[in-house]
């Protein structure tokens, strides 16, 4: 998958296709406010078999997700509200990255120095009120 256009009705299929084509468990989600980064993350967590609904962590910065078994699936970071990338270190971001779990990062441009080199960058563009374009950079 390099690029695809989708609506919310087809997001489950897009999530499965995206997961089958990524080389890294760290996904950096780029897109303007309202582009659907959190909605895509919810679909990815569900496609991976997560038991959590996947709410936006905007007010808590990080959410934790688990499989039905209770085992840790991964983390969802929303760095929109941080003012300096060193704030990510204060959260223990490096410790999260050192685990073998899925990492979903919204607003990765806020923490460029701390992104893993092998991270997959997912760019979401608003086409119209119902349609999004997704481009993958690995």
């Amino acid at each position: 998958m390099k690029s695809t256009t989708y609506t919310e009705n087809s997001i489950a299929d897009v999530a499965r296709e995206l997961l089958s084509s990524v080389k890294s468990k760290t996904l950096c989600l780029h897109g303007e406010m309202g582009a659907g980064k959190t909605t895509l993350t919810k679909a990815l967590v569900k496609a991976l078999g997560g038991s959590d609904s996947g709410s936006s962590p905007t007010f808590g910065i990080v959410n934790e997700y688990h499989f039905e078994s209770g085992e840790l699936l991964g983390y969802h970071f929303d760095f929109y509200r941080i003012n300096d990338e060193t704030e990510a270190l204060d959260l223990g971001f490096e410790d999260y990255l050192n685990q073998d779990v899925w990492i979903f990062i919204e607003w990765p441009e806020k923490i460029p120095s701390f992104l893993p080199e092998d991270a997959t960058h997912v760019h979401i563009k608003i086409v119209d009120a119902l349609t999004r374009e997704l481009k993958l950079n690995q």
Side-chain angles (χ1 to χ4, degrees):
M1 166 192 275
K2 284 287 184 196
S3 176
T4 190
T5 303
Y6 65 96
T7 63
E8 197 166 347
N9 290 337
S10 61
I11 200 166
D13 294 331
V14 170
R16 284 190 295 275
E17 186 180 343
L18 175 63
L19 290 169
S20 70
S21 62
V22 297
K23 298 174 183 158
S24 169
K25 283 186 172 182
T26 301
L27 303 182
C28 297
L29 305 166
H30 302 265
E32 64 185 271
M33 186 72 73
K37 297 178 295 295
T38 299
T39 302
L40 179 60
T41 300
K42 288 179 185 181
L44 292 166
V45 167
K46 187 173 181 180
L48 286 165
S51 61
D52 303 308
S53 63
S55 61
S56 176
T58 299
F59 297 104
I61 298 183
V62 61
N63 275 348
E64 187 174 293
Y65 300 102
H66 296 87
F67 292 105
E68 295 288 340
S69 65
E71 184 181 351
L72 182 64
L73 181 151
Y75 301 100
H76 176 196
F77 294 89
D78 185 331
F79 288 120
Y80 180 75
R81 291 184 30 218
I82 69 167
N83 297 310
D84 183 278
E85 69 179 344
T86 58
E87 291 179 48
L89 293 181
D90 295 340
L91 294 169
F93 184 64
E94 289 177 318
D95 294 331
Y96 289 104
L97 290 176
N98 289 326
Q99 299 177 53
D100 185 25
V101 296
W102 287 90
I103 304 286
F104 307 101
I105 304 170
E106 293 189 39
W107 305 100
E109 57 274 12
K110 295 260 193 164
I111 58 157
S113 301
F114 304 118
L115 297 175
E117 285 184 26
D118 68 342
T120 298
H121 292 268
V122 179
H123 298 269
I124 305 170
K125 179 181 170 191
I126 298 173
V127 176
D128 61 37
L130 301 174
T131 311
R132 302 295 185 261
E133 180 182 23
L134 184 145
K135 289 186 180 179
L136 192 61
N137 293 339
Q138 303 196 74

